[in-house]
Amino acid sequence: MTNEERELAGWQAEWSEIADVPAFERAIGARVARDRRRLLVAAAGEVGGAILGIAVIAWLLARTHGSAFILSVTIPLLVFLGAWLTRFFEMRRGLFRAPGESVAAFIELTRKRLAAEIEWMRFARRSTTILGIAVVFWAAWAFVKYFDEYTAEPWRAVVGFGGAVIILAGLAWWIPRKQARLTGELARFEEVVGRASLDVS
Amino acid sequence: MKVHAPALSRLAASYTRSTDEREDLLQDIALALHLALPSFRGDASERTFVLRVAHNRAITFAARRGAAVDIADHEDALVASSGKNPELRFERAERGQRLLAAVRTLPLTHRQVMTMLLEGLAHREIAEVLGVTENVVAVRANRARAALKVLLEGEGS
């Protein structure tokens, strides 16, 4: 063995012992794991929001002893909340866990997750539009019916109607941006897959 | 593919400088291999095929990250004078890490040849992976080894 060969063999031995490089499999699964965390956080947010909403409705009903006015507001809201949550979990069925550890499974799951999120944003956009229209009619009706109370205590009108306007305006601003961001993310992912395919030749 | 995982991890490490970048590159390589494997006809060894796809991906990745400047072929002087590279000083804890840090500072064409030499590929196999002649590989290998020696000795002194 020449000196050069001995030197190279020494380097090869050191090279093969490099240990702290990330595992290949971990890199494949990194995105899947990150998306799963995002999915779980979103689900927790939705469930938490629903619990909070139900708690507020229950408090309002208890406080007003189930007044007709509060019931007229809260029952449609509860129906909306139920439909919202059902749709949320229905669209994500099978997406919480990867069906396998192969790269094919990773690509497919990532595509499905991003597509589900984009579809969810479309659903959210439609739902909040319908909700917004309903709120406008309800607000007009409530304002006319309780005109005296509102003029006597204007802060009630400001807090009630103002709060609804802020929430709906916030959603109208946020949802299209989120949808655009997810669409861009899906396009970037497809670009990565496409770019990778360029190196096949 | 699991058989080649350690080599691919080391390859990715030699082209990147942070764990995030490394994970991104490995993900790209995984996708590239997934798409490339159906076209594997067995006219080269599987290892050669896998490394060819991985190196192609790594070069694209490095170019995208603004490392295209490394691709120029005559940086021996630069390499020889970089024995006091600050990155090397940070990564001297382990001999393997020191070697990795030194390999990272090699110009791209030398780094390609050196990583494959370190993985135990013969000149003929490296030539297949890179699509160049064995003579070219031999020249690059000599330059890369000389540069690596300077880097490691510079670091050791």
Side-chain angles (χ1 to χ4, degrees):
Chain A
M1 195 184 249
T2 64
N3 282 341
E4 282 195 343
E5 284 169 341
R6 261 196 294 278
E7 182 184 61
L8 183 61
W11 288 343
Q12 283 172 336
E14 288 176 18
W15 184 253
S16 66
E17 282 169 14
I18 294 174
D20 70 342
V21 290
F24 188 58
E25 291 82 359
R26 202 175 82 205
I28 299 171
R31 161 117 209 188
V32 173
R34 197 185 64 209
D35 285 352
R36 183 165 186 267
R37 278 197 299 276
R38 274 175 22 176
L39 211 56
L40 288 173
V41 167
E46 294 293 340
V47 172
I51 290 171
L52 187 71
I54 291 166
V56 169
I57 287 168
W59 174 76
L60 277 173
L61 286 172
R63 190 168 173 268
T64 60
H65 304 291
S67 81
F69 173 67
I70 295 295
L71 276 173
S72 74
V73 179
T74 53
I75 287 174
L77 272 178
L78 279 174
V79 171
F80 180 83
L81 213 56
W84 178 273
L85 268 187
T86 306
R87 185 89 175 118
F88 180 88
F89 284 103
E90 185 191 50
M91 283 178 66
R92 290 161 179 80
R93 189 181 299 157
L95 300 183
F96 284 89
R97 208 167 283 281
E101 291 181 359
S102 68
V103 183
F106 152 72
I107 293 174
E108 206 40 47
L109 184 67
T110 302
R111 271 192 186 127
K112 279 183 183 167
R113 279 177 174 173
L114 284 169
E117 291 303 319
I118 292 168
E119 184 52 38
W120 173 248
M121 283 300 129
R122 281 197 202 103
F123 171 77
R125 208 171 179 171
R126 282 195 301 269
S127 305
T128 47
T129 304
I130 292 167
L131 184 69
I133 291 167
V135 165
V136 166
F137 280 108
W138 168 80
W141 169 78
F143 189 74
V144 170
K145 184 169 171 59
Y146 298 97
F147 182 76
D148 292 341
E149 282 90 333
Y150 284 132
T151 45
E153 290 181 296
W155 68 267
R156 287 185 187 277
V158 172
V159 171
F161 300 132
V165 166
I166 288 170
I167 290 170
L168 288 171
L171 287 172
W173 179 84
W174 178 75
I175 290 172
R177 277 157 188 79
K178 173 86 173 171
Q179 193 177 346
R181 195 175 64 75
L182 287 166
T183 307
E185 202 173 326
L186 181 59
R188 277 195 301 281
F189 178 71
E190 293 298 350
E191 190 192 324
V192 169
V193 175
R195 210 170 48 229
S197 67
L198 292 177
D199 292 325
V200 168
S201 56
Chain B
M1 208 134 73
K2 282 187 176 175
V3 177
H4 307 293
L8 291 174
S9 291
R10 287 191 288 266
L11 183 148
S14 71
Y15 279 92
T16 53
R17 289 170 193 277
S18 71
T19 309
D20 285 347
E21 273 193 350
R22 208 175 302 170
E23 301 247 353
D24 281 352
L25 175 55
L26 277 172
Q27 183 179 289
D28 279 15
I29 291 172
L31 288 169
L33 285 171
H34 167 69
L35 295 162
L37 280 175
S39 69
F40 178 55
R41 300 272 175 268
D43 46 359
S45 74
E46 189 183 275
R47 185 168 66 152
T48 308
F49 177 80
V50 165
L51 286 173
R52 182 162 63 218
V53 172
H55 271 276
N56 285 345
R57 188 85 288 281
I59 289 169
T60 312
F61 186 90
R64 220 172 61 232
R65 290 275 193 280
V69 67
D70 281 352
I71 294 171
D73 211 354
H74 301 288
E75 307 89 335
D76 301 48
L78 166 75
V79 170
S81 66
S82 59
K84 291 176 184 167
N85 186 309
E87 187 174 17
L88 287 181
R89 288 201 295 274
F90 281 108
E91 297 189 10
R92 70 177 85 188
E94 302 259 344
R95 281 156 60 112
Q97 287 301 312
R98 204 164 62 93
L99 179 62
L100 176 61
V103 168
R104 276 180 184 151
T105 64
L106 292 173
L108 194 59
T109 50
H110 295 175
R111 206 184 319 162
Q112 286 179 311
V113 171
M114 186 45 72
T115 51
M116 284 185 270
L117 276 176
L118 292 171
E119 290 296 340
L121 268 70
H123 284 194
R124 183 184 50 75
E125 290 176 302
I126 298 172
E128 265 182 48
V129 170
L130 298 179
V132 296
T133 64
E134 281 190 56
N135 281 342
V136 170
V137 171
V139 170
R140 287 182 190 173
N142 280 337
R143 287 181 180 174
R145 287 170 67 152
L148 196 60
K149 207 169 169 178
V150 170
L151 284 165
L152 291 171
E153 282 172 359
E155 179 59 16
S157 63

